Amino acid sequence: MALIQCKNCGKDVSDRAKVCPHCGTQLIEDEVTQPQPIICEECGAEIPQGADSCPNCGCPVPVDGEENTEAPQKVELTSVKIPKLDQRKKKIVVGSIIGVIVLIAAISLIISQMRQATAAQLSADYSENISTVSAAILSSAIQTEEAGNLIHDVWYNCIFEENDPETNEYTRPNGYYLDDFNDALANLFSDETFSQQLSSIKNDQETVTDLMRKMSDPPEEFEDAYEALRELFDAYTEFTNLVINPSGNLQTFTSNFNDADSALLNCYNAMSLYIDA
């Protein structure tokens, strides 16, 4: 670096100073940016400023912004700007989503209520069926007990020649007692009234059996009630079979009949705990 004299005030200043610090005179003119020369793409010659074609080969000078189809262009990747969603549309979309959520919740609630109602109805129906089956068993058991007692009395009175207005027509049809009790029982079972009573007992037994088949898949809260009902049904079936088809001697029939009658009564008492009043 060297010192020079200011051309205005004559004082010493740096040869790199653009302005004299003493008088403010501009010492160095600002550099004017020279335009970059244009090089012809075809022949490489320099094209004067303002020319529209190469003076050497005549190739036209590309205009700013004009795409040169012959020369490869440099492709710059830029980020894609995603337009914002219109606020009105945004509100509609949000409202639609909320509406769908509310609808789904409402449908789920309705389905849940329907299931609860269905379950409640099934429970009510099953409870009613328990009462129906139990009542059918009791009604049939009463008729069966009457028939069994008559069988016993005819059997007993024929053997021991007991006079009984209810059994005399079977044990002593001609005014004297029959020698074989089987004949007396045959008279009883051929009697139209008693035969109809036995047929009614058989029909009741079939009806109760069909009802029990429908009860075989109880709701969870009725499992204990079903077990009690099943024991009652088994006792009822044994009791009715003894009367429909009596066998053995008088002593075994009487013993089996009394035992079955007591078992049936015990099972019904246990079942009554599950029967609605």
Side-chain angles (χ1 to χ4, degrees), residues 126-196:
Y126 198 88
S127 178
E128 183 178 351
N129 290 337
I130 286 178
S131 299
T132 299
V133 176
S134 299
I137 289 177
L138 180 61
S139 176
S140 180
I142 292 174
Q143 189 176 16
T144 303
E145 186 178 46
E146 293 175 354
N149 286 330
L150 183 57
I151 292 173
H152 168 270
D153 291 346
V154 170
W155 203 335
Y156 181 90
N157 292 343
C158 184
I159 293 175
F160 296 100
E161 297 185 353
E162 291 285 342
N163 183 29
D164 185 347
E166 189 176 5
T167 63
N168 284 343
E169 61 179 308
Y170 311 117
T171 60
R172 43 184 297 181
N174 298 318
Y176 58 88
Y177 291 99
L178 298 174
D179 294 332
D180 190 346
F181 69 88
N182 287 310
D183 293 337
L185 291 176
N187 290 335
L188 174 63
F189 277 82
S190 62
D191 180 76
E192 183 178 357
T193 301
F194 187 76
S195 178
Q196 290 177 352

Side-chain angles (χ1 to χ4, degrees), residues 133 136-137 203-212 233 236:
V133 176
I137 289 177
N203 291 335
D204 289 344
Q205 189 184 68
E206 292 175 358
T207 299
V208 171
T209 301
D210 290 339
L211 290 173
M212 283 299 298
F233 172 73
Y236 162 75

Side-chain angles (χ1 to χ4, degrees), residues 58-186:
C59 177
V61 177
V63 180
D64 290 343
E66 179 182 352
E67 182 180 1
N68 189 342
T69 57
E70 298 180 359
Q73 299 295 317
K74 181 179 180 181
V75 179
E76 295 183 359
L77 298 178
T78 59
S79 60
V80 178
K81 185 177 180 181
I82 301 176
K84 292 183 178 180
L85 186 65
D86 182 82
Q87 290 299 320
R88 182 173 174 273
K89 294 183 178 179
K90 183 177 180 180
K91 291 180 180 179
I92 294 175
V93 172
V94 173
S96 300
I97 294 174
I98 294 175
V100 171
I101 294 175
V102 172
L103 179 61
I104 293 174
I107 293 174
S108 299
L109 179 60
I110 293 173
I111 293 175
S112 176
Q113 291 176 342
M114 291 177 61
R115 288 177 177 174
Q116 292 177 0
T118 301
Q121 185 61 47
L122 289 175
S123 295
D125 291 345
Y126 198 88
S127 178
E128 183 178 351
N129 290 337
I130 286 178
S131 299
T132 299
V133 176
S134 299
I137 289 177
L138 180 61
S139 176
S140 180
I142 292 174
Q143 189 176 16
T144 303
E145 186 178 46
E146 293 175 354
N149 286 330
L150 183 57
I151 292 173
H152 168 270
D153 291 346
V154 170
W155 203 335
Y156 181 90
N157 292 343
C158 184
I159 293 175
F160 296 100
E161 297 185 353
E162 291 285 342
N163 183 29
D164 185 347
E166 189 176 5
T167 63
N168 284 343
E169 61 179 308
Y170 311 117
T171 60
R172 43 184 297 181
N174 298 318
Y176 58 88
Y177 291 99
L178 298 174
D179 294 332
D180 190 346
F181 69 88
N182 287 310
D183 293 337
L185 291 176

